[in-house]
Amino acid sequence: MKTASDLKIGEKAIIKDIDNSHFSSHRILEIGFTPGQEIQLVSSPLFNDPIALMIRGSIIAIRKSDARCIII
Amino acid sequence: MSSQTLNKIPLISLVGPPNSGKTTLFNYLSGKKFKTVNYPGSTVEYSISKILSKHAVNADILDSPGIISLIPSSPDEQLSVNTLYSHPKFGKPDIVAVTVDVSQLSRHLYLVKQLLESNFKVVVVLTMTDVLYKKGFDISENKLSSILNCKVVRVNGKTGKGIDSLLTVLKESLNEIEKDSAASLIKADKHHKTKLLESYSEIEKIEKEVLFETDQKSTNGKIDIQKINESIVVLNSAPKFLKADETSLKIDKFILHKFWGLIIFFLIMALTFTSIFWLAAPLMDLVNDGFSFLSENAFTLLGEGLIADLIANGLISGLGSVLVFLPQILILFLILGLLEDSGYLARGAMLIDKPLSKIGLNGKSFVPLLSGFACAIPAMMATRTITNKRERFLTIFIIPLMSCSARLPVYALLIAFLIPQETPWIGGLLLAAIYVFSITSSIIIAAIVNKFSNRLVKEKDNTSFILELPAYRMPKPMRVIQETIKNGKQYVVKAGPVILFLSLLIWILTTFPNYDPVVPVSPDVSPEQTEILKSNERMSTSYAAYLGKFIEPVMAPLGLDWRVGVSLIATFAAREVFVSSMALIFKITEEGDDMQNSILNSMREAKIGDSDQKLFTTATTAGLIVFFVFALQCLSTVAIAKKETGSWRIPVLQVVVFTALAYVFAFVTVNGLRAFGVN
């Protein structure tokens, strides 16, 4: 199963689902990571964590452990 | 609503997601006369103000921390949501004005939908329309208004255009309330996932209806066919047609670069701290000189005597010790404000999240820790943005180790004693070394405490870091300066009276009960020498001396005597009292010399008891510096730590642990240096 944490820099994907069992899933949905939306990994600085994802015209920094509940 | 009838003036609550232009709007409506506890990084407390009288709307307006939804996930959001449903003092708001950044329309409409579903009387304020325009789109507020069935106004934060129509709308809405009875509020509950997705798909439909393309993209000469094609395709396949700010993406290629990102981060941090030293130092000297001048003139004007002594040594030097650290606070908050306004602060937090998570902290600890270099009080309040309780408490725990501005005058005095006067640059290096030492120690202490953090506070293992990176923009100097002045003012108002009171207390303790002691008079003793004898006698028979002698056994292992002991006791209430209490205890009113130099001279001459052993040596002074690095000497910090953590556990632990560390490390420093032959 591929998640947003597996994206490479510049790579785009469409969100398939959000994993409900993750404690951050609610916040992630609220800020606009909903199924069907396109995301793109725009930067991945030192340590490759947290990563910066583009969603709905905004850039969100998110830890890989949180991004793991975004299924693509 | 009973709360409403109690409150005659209507209340308008201002809410909105972070970075949606909420505070700018608040400033427009309220002018500058509002009560608030703000700090760069976000609004941490609510601010309340009457709407400016020139706007002719009779209502209070309330600003609170930004929220993404009505389901809070951190203490600052909790505060906002609570004030929204029922403010303890003002009750439920009559109107909720919600700011919506139209360049992020869908994400920001989510809150609007929640507010409408909860039966709030909503007025939508559209901001950042210029950003949307740059992206090639515009919005129809009439359509949005009819779909949402609430009033919608467009306001330009830069020019203030639209404020008038907002005020008209607010007035209309207030009149309507008086007519129709307010519907009762429905608490938003944790939305079921399907409900949330429904909301978003409705929002996406709305977005398609209200946003339309402008043709201004082609005004730059050639028509970009590809771009038009792109946007057509995008429009058809909907909901993803808003792209992030292109310039920001380009800048982030450097700022968030694996290698350059780190270099830039360290450069910015280094610049921040060096500018604190280099910019603040001359200003602090100026304050110092100014107050020394005042103090001297007080004596010339009033002559020698009790009143002159009270004014010169008690009041003026007390005030001086309040104001001497103001430059540093102002400069740090100014820089923080600039970094915040430009959009860098969120990136800094992102870059440092990984290393901080290793010692049990969070990227969101970054701003609070940085503010801690100005003052622990706003810093602790700033931790409210941290979601995880354990990370938040650990951040609060180590904030007192950040070298706050109150320590700077102390270090400045002690360093001036240590280094030869001809080489002031060594002082700068030494000061930098102290900062590096205190940062390193706090990292180690955080790492150790993190091992026991489960015992410190029980919390689910739900640590996360999700933070919006706002688009870069030029900082608005006026806004940053306003915020900085506000911070400085609040700091003086809050800390000032405490410090002034303590300075006066020390003056009383060192002056009485033996104000006019009898000293042997003989013809070969000059009047000046008699004065010195008198002043020594007054001091050694004062209340302070009695107090000091109690703690002398504790001070002795550090190579210090009761006089420093008295100063140290005073500093447990507020560190900045150290310099003025040293000045009082080592009684200095030499003509034509500034306060620091005269303290330094008396320090060089001070002996322990009746012996020939010097009180201040390199070893004991270094020991004192180390003591100040660790000790939590600030009553206000203890009080705010209690308030923010909700119990005495953390503050008591802080006082015990940091005092013990301070004492042990000072002891090791003094005796270690002596063992190596440094006296």
Side-chain angles (χ1 to χ4, degrees):
Chain A
M1 190 176 66
K2 211 177 162 195
T3 71
S5 69
D6 303 317
L7 286 172
K8 291 190 184 56
I9 201 144
E11 196 183 343
K12 291 180 185 173
I14 305 282
I15 301 173
K16 277 202 192 114
D17 200 5
I18 300 293
D19 174 11
N20 276 359
S21 59
H22 194 284
F23 52 75
S24 293
S25 64
H26 190 256
R27 186 32 64 103
I28 284 173
L29 281 164
E30 278 182 337
I31 58 172
F33 287 97
T34 52
Q37 283 293 316
E38 188 187 64
I39 53 168
Q40 183 183 10
L41 179 70
V42 286
S43 22
S44 163
L46 196 71
F47 314 114
N48 289 322
D49 194 16
I51 51 175
L53 295 175
M54 181 153 75
I55 174 91
R56 293 175 186 266
S58 313
I59 310 168
I60 310 280
I62 183 169
R63 269 192 199 161
K64 279 194 163 173
S65 57
D66 293 314
R68 234 161 255 144
C69 73
I70 305 171
I71 300 161
I72 52 170
Chain B
M1 294 270 131
S2 58
S3 54
Q4 263 176 298
T5 46
L6 282 173
N7 209 6
K8 281 184 206 108
I9 303 173
L11 177 70
I12 300 169
S13 263
L14 200 53
V15 297
N19 312 312
S20 60
K22 190 164 58 69
T23 306
T24 315
L25 185 64
F26 181 73
N27 289 347
Y28 268 120
L29 293 174
S30 67
K32 285 160 217 161
K33 283 181 252 149
F34 52 90
K35 275 178 72 182
T36 179
V37 191
N38 262 358
Y39 84 105
S42 70
T43 322
V44 277
E45 292 262 274
Y46 61 84
S47 329
I48 187 135
S49 161
K50 271 191 73 81
I51 291 188
L52 273 184
S53 53
K54 69 167 182 191
H55 294 321
V57 176
N58 182 34
D60 278 331
I61 184 149
L62 189 139
D63 185 22
S64 49
I67 45 172
I68 288 165
S69 88
L70 290 179
I71 316 290
S73 73
S74 61
D76 64 325
E77 293 173 359
Q78 183 78 58
L79 183 101
S80 283
V81 175
N82 288 351
T83 38
L84 195 55
Y85 277 105
S86 176
H87 189 280
K89 210 160 112 205
F90 306 103
K92 133 182 152 47
D94 299 284
I95 295 174
V96 174
V98 51
T99 46
V100 167
D101 171 355
V102 287
S103 69
Q104 315 188 45
L105 189 64
S106 61
R107 296 180 52 242
H108 286 191
L109 276 182
Y110 181 66
L111 178 64
V112 176
K113 284 215 73 150
Q114 275 188 321
L115 286 167
L116 287 168
E117 281 161 16
S118 303
N119 277 343
F120 284 104
K121 191 162 180 62
V122 178
V123 171
V124 176
V125 184
L126 302 177
T127 62
M128 321 272 176
T129 36
D130 48 333
V131 182
L132 185 71
Y133 209 67
K134 252 198 273 168
K135 290 182 180 182
F137 290 93
D138 204 350
I139 184 165
S140 155
E141 53 258 55
N142 290 339
K143 266 191 193 164
L144 186 62
S145 169
S146 67
I147 297 171
L148 292 176
N149 195 22
C150 72
K151 296 197 167 78
V152 179
V153 195
R154 166 200 297 246
V155 168
N156 186 323
K158 274 188 199 133
T159 60
K161 201 177 153 226
I163 292 285
D164 287 342
S165 36
L166 172 63
L167 287 163
T168 316
V169 165
L170 289 178
K171 251 183 265 181
E172 280 169 20
S173 306
L174 285 173
N175 288 335
E176 282 165 24
I177 292 165
E178 279 155 25
K179 280 176 232 147
D180 50 62
S181 58
S184 59
L185 295 182
I186 302 164
K187 275 247 174 198
D189 51 8
K190 201 150 178 156
H191 277 86
H192 197 262
K193 185 174 165 186
T194 42
K195 174 81 185 65
L196 196 148
L197 294 181
E198 264 168 36
S199 284
Y200 256 113
S201 66
E202 279 169 42
I203 289 168
E204 279 153 21
K205 270 185 217 131
I206 298 174
E207 195 181 34
K208 260 190 262 175
E209 295 258 338
V210 298
L211 284 187
F212 58 90
E213 245 189 308
T214 56
D215 42 3
Q216 52 96 38
K217 273 257 163 176
S218 55
T219 50
N220 53 1
K222 53 177 187 203
I223 296 168
D224 195 334
I225 299 289
Q226 203 197 332
K227 228 168 213 157
I228 288 174
N229 278 341
E230 247 177 46
S231 46
I232 290 167
V233 172
V234 168
L235 264 176
N236 288 338
S237 65
K240 50 193 172 188
F241 56 83
L242 281 185
K243 287 200 83 179
D245 180 46
E246 305 255 347
T247 327
S248 294
L249 286 172
K250 273 179 202 148
I251 299 175
D252 273 341
K253 291 247 185 303
F254 290 97
I255 299 279
L256 299 179
H257 187 270
K258 276 190 194 2
F259 173 71
W260 292 114
L262 193 71
I263 301 283
I264 293 167
F265 179 82
F266 278 112
L267 267 178
I268 287 178
M269 288 300 106
L271 261 172
T272 304
F273 284 108
T274 40
S275 50
I276 292 170
F277 301 143
W278 301 120
L279 293 176
L283 292 173
M284 290 171 89
D285 285 347
L286 209 67
V287 176
N288 237 329
D289 292 348
F291 278 93
S292 310
F293 174 78
L294 279 180
S295 177
E296 267 169 43
N297 276 23
F299 274 116
T300 350
L301 272 175
L302 300 165
E304 302 283 326
L306 187 62
I307 301 292
D309 197 36
L310 169 67
I311 289 173
N313 288 330
L315 268 175
I316 294 179
S317 63
L319 269 177
S321 58
V322 174
L323 294 179
V324 73
F325 52 84
L326 197 59
Q328 200 200 357
I329 288 186
L330 289 180
I331 290 169
L332 186 54
F333 277 133
L334 186 75
I335 295 172
L336 271 175
L338 288 174
L339 288 177
E340 155 74 12
D341 227 33
S342 68
Y344 185 77
L345 226 44
R347 270 107 181 151
M350 176 194 184
L351 286 171
I352 204 160
D353 176 64
K354 187 82 184 175
L356 285 181
S357 71
K358 296 278 180 218
I359 53 170
L361 301 173
N362 189 292
K364 290 183 181 169
S365 312
F366 175 61
V367 175
L369 291 177
L370 259 184
S371 321
F373 282 92
C375 175
I377 296 161
M380 283 187 179
M381 295 173 65
T383 61
R384 289 182 192 166
T385 54
I386 303 170
T387 314
N388 182 284
K389 202 170 166 190
R390 195 191 309 154
E391 290 172 336
R392 177 164 175 252
F393 281 17
L394 189 57
T395 310
I396 289 178
F397 188 84
I398 66 160
I399 279 174
L401 290 174
M402 300 301 114
S403 204
C404 76
S405 60
R407 285 171 170 113
L408 200 66
V410 179
Y411 292 151
L413 177 72
L414 296 177
I415 286 174
F417 180 83
L418 281 180
I419 57 155
Q421 256 168 341
E422 332 50 276
T423 50
W425 59 272
I426 297 182
L429 278 186
L430 212 55
L431 195 60
I434 294 172
Y435 273 64
V436 172
F437 175 68
S438 73
I439 292 170
T440 320
S441 324
S442 41
I443 292 171
I444 295 167
I445 291 169
I448 295 169
V449 176
N450 184 34
K451 296 270 175 250
F452 301 99
S453 61
N454 264 331
R455 264 180 251 171
L456 197 68
V457 54
K458 285 201 170 48
E459 168 75 322
K460 283 175 290 191
D461 203 17
N462 63 355
T463 162
S464 73
F465 180 84
I466 304 170
L467 186 66
E468 186 195 326
L469 302 181
Y472 289 103
R473 54 174 188 189
M474 274 310 278
K476 295 190 201 91
M478 272 321 287
R479 196 190 124 173
V480 176
I481 289 169
Q482 265 176 28
E483 290 284 309
T484 307
I485 291 173
K486 206 167 71 194
N487 279 313
K489 235 199 233 157
Q490 272 158 8
Y491 195 64
V492 171
V493 169
K494 221 168 180 176
V498 180
I499 298 162
L500 194 62
F501 169 77
L502 285 166
S503 300
L504 283 175
L505 187 69
I506 294 166
W507 177 80
I508 291 169
L509 289 178
T510 52
T511 311
F512 296 104
N514 207 359
Y515 176 66
D516 199 12
V518 186
V519 288
V521 186
S522 65
D524 44 282
V525 177
S526 70
E528 286 87 40
Q529 280 169 312
T530 319
E531 252 328 292
I532 293 170
L533 278 176
K534 267 191 175 182
S535 126
N536 284 345
E537 184 61 20
R538 188 189 304 148
M539 184 70 211
S540 57
T541 54
S542 67
Y543 293 122
Y546 287 112
L547 264 176
K549 278 174 186 143
F550 262 119
I551 57 157
E552 191 147 86
V554 186
M555 301 313 295
L558 304 183
L560 301 169
D561 72 351
W562 66 268
R563 286 173 292 184
V564 185
V566 170
S567 297
L568 282 185
I569 289 182
T571 57
F572 271 91
R575 299 178 177 94
E576 33 300 58
V577 183
F578 185 75
V579 177
S580 66
S581 83
M582 289 285 282
L584 279 171
I585 289 169
F586 292 93
K587 271 301 174 210
I588 337 122
T589 35
E590 280 173 44
E591 294 284 327
D593 210 353
D594 68 23
M595 187 158 98
Q596 175 154 319
N597 273 329
S598 42
I599 304 180
L600 286 177
N601 286 335
S602 335
M603 279 172 72
R604 289 197 184 97
E605 278 149 33
K607 305 268 183 343
I608 292 184
D610 298 326
S611 70
D612 266 347
Q613 203 190 339
K614 283 204 164 162
L615 175 58
F616 292 99
T617 61
T618 304
T620 57
T621 310
L624 264 178
I625 291 179
V626 170
F627 190 89
F628 271 90
V629 166
F630 291 100
L632 199 178
Q633 302 149 286
C634 180
L635 279 182
S636 318
T637 303
V638 174
I640 206 88
K642 152 85 173 44
K643 195 176 154 231
E644 290 297 318
T645 59
S647 86
W648 282 108
R649 211 181 149 94
I650 301 268
V652 166
L653 207 64
Q654 282 175 314
V655 171
V656 171
V657 170
F658 293 150
T659 311
L661 281 176
Y663 191 79
V664 170
F665 280 108
F667 179 80
V668 170
T669 308
V670 173
N671 293 290
L673 282 173
R674 281 181 177 163
F676 282 105
V678 181
N679 235 325

